[in-house]
Each structure stands twice: as structure tokens, then as C-alpha cells.
């Protein structure tokens, strides 16, 4: 395991032919664990969408689940009032 990085954020991915696994190493003075967990979740959504339909243009791939999009929409609508 890597416990230090020379960069603010490092993402390592490995593909064994069946699954993709990875790790994120980050500067804890710049990022907190909750932020990295959200980043990892977004990456999982993105990779799942890419695998489901490789022909989808990158700009049309989701970064959030439908539930997350609904939650963000409620927050935005609520703050506009």
C-alpha cells in the first residue's frame, strides 16, 4: 500500500481482466476523507456507465447516481427560493 504521495492527489487503478480496483492517495491537509469517498463514488458511477455503453460520449456520462442528482436538484431549488 502507498501511504504518501508527491502530488496533492494520486489515483491508481488496476484491471485484472475481471474487475478494476484502485486506490486514492491524497494530501490530508487539502482534502478530507468524505471528499475522497465522494470522488471514489463518482468514479464508480462513471466507470459503470462507460462499461454499460462504451459508445456514450464522455460529456454525456453521469458522475452521480439518479438519487444524488435528485438530492442536488432539491438543494438547488430550495436555495433559489
Amino acid at each position: 500500500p502507498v501511504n504518501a504521495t508527491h502530488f496533492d492527489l494520486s489515483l491508481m487503478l488496476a484491471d485484472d481482466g475481471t474487475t478494476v480496483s484502485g486506490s486514492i492517495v491524497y494530501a490530508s491537509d487539502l482534502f478530507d476523507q468524505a471528499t475522497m469517498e465522494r470522488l471514489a463514488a463518482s468514479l464508480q458511477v462513471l466507470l459503470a456507465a462507460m462499461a454499460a455503453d462504451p459508445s456514450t460520449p464522455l460529456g454525456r456520462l453521469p458522475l452521480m447516481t439518479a438519487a444524488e442528482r435528485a438530492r442536488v436538484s432539491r438543494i438547488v431549488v430550495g436555495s433559489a427560493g
Side-chain angles (χ1 to χ4, degrees):
V2 177
N3 296 319
T5 180
H6 295 285
F7 303 102
D8 294 340
L9 177 67
S10 295
L11 171 67
M12 284 77 61
L13 297 173
D15 180 357
D16 69 7
T18 304
T19 60
V20 175
S21 60
S23 63
I24 299 172
V25 180
Y26 60 94
S28 60
D29 56 332
L30 298 176
F31 303 103
D32 61 17
Q33 184 175 345
T35 299
M36 292 300 103
E37 289 171 356
R38 285 191 308 274
L39 177 66
S42 293
L43 182 59
Q44 288 176 324
V45 169
L46 176 66
L47 292 175
M50 290 172 71
D53 186 359
S55 67
T56 302
L58 184 59
R60 301 187 100 192
L61 292 169
L63 293 174
M64 294 184 278
T65 64
E68 290 168 322
R69 283 192 302 277
R71 184 181 64 80
V72 170
S73 292
R74 284 191 302 275
I75 291 169
V76 170
V77 169
S79 67

